[in-house]
Amino acid sequence: EVQLVESGGGLVQAGGSLRLACAASGFIFEDYAIAWFRQAPGKEREPVSCITSSDGGTYVADSVEDRFTIASDNAKNTVYLQMNSLKPEDTAVYFCAARLSAIERSVVPCHRGLYEYDSWGQGTQVTVSS
């Protein structure tokens, strides 16, 4: 059974930092792409960042570029999202998700095939106060 557990959320002031962690189990970590999504109240879920665990290839959304960094610790089967210079608009529930790196027998970059992410954590709340 694929299991993803997020941690590291909390309340911070604007300009502060948080590091989110996604601990994975139940699958071969290196065969999967891991992504962070977020959903704010009244808004649709949006992708934030992702990583292909096997080679470390990453993607960061334009809205958070130069502020967020994603990294993978394969030995711990954990993906981290370092969030710096947080803004109130970053307030959301952050979800970790996973899919196989290969779709229809071809490796697909983690920021493509976003609808194919089919394993999800329960989310961790990030609140940024002004």
Side-chain angles (χ1 to χ4, degrees):
E1 180 182 351
V2 175
Q3 187 172 47
L4 304 171
V5 180
E6 303 96 334
S7 63
L11 173 64
V12 298
Q13 293 183 326
S17 298
L18 286 172
R19 188 178 73 161
L20 306 184
C22 173
S25 62
F27 60 95
I28 301 175
F29 189 73
E30 291 78 9
D31 291 343
Y32 278 71
I34 308 294
W36 287 97
F37 294 79
R38 67 184 182 186
Q39 187 167 27
K43 297 183 64 177
E44 295 184 357
R45 185 179 60 197
E46 63 175 337
V48 178
S49 185
C50 64
I51 187 168
T52 302
S53 300
S54 59
D55 62 10
T58 63
Y59 163 82
V60 182
D62 290 344
S63 60
V64 299
E65 64 177 345
D66 300 323
R67 299 190 298 118
F68 290 12
T69 303
I70 193 168
S72 177
D73 185 339
N74 290 354
K76 296 182 178 180
N77 287 353
T78 300
V79 171
Y80 300 95
L81 184 67
Q82 179 67 47
M83 306 186 296
N84 298 324
S85 302
L86 284 162
K87 304 175 181 179
E89 53 261 44
D90 295 319
T91 295
V93 177
Y94 284 71
F95 296 92
C96 178
R99 64 158 174 84
L100 284 166
S101 297
I103 300 175
E104 297 184 350
R105 305 181 184 180
S106 298
V107 175
V108 177
C110 68
H111 63 286
R112 297 184 179 180
L114 292 173
Y115 292 108
E116 303 301 321
Y117 284 89
D118 54 7
S119 298
W120 294 82
Q122 292 185 321
T124 185
Q125 177 71 48
V126 172
T127 302
V128 184
S129 62
S130 60

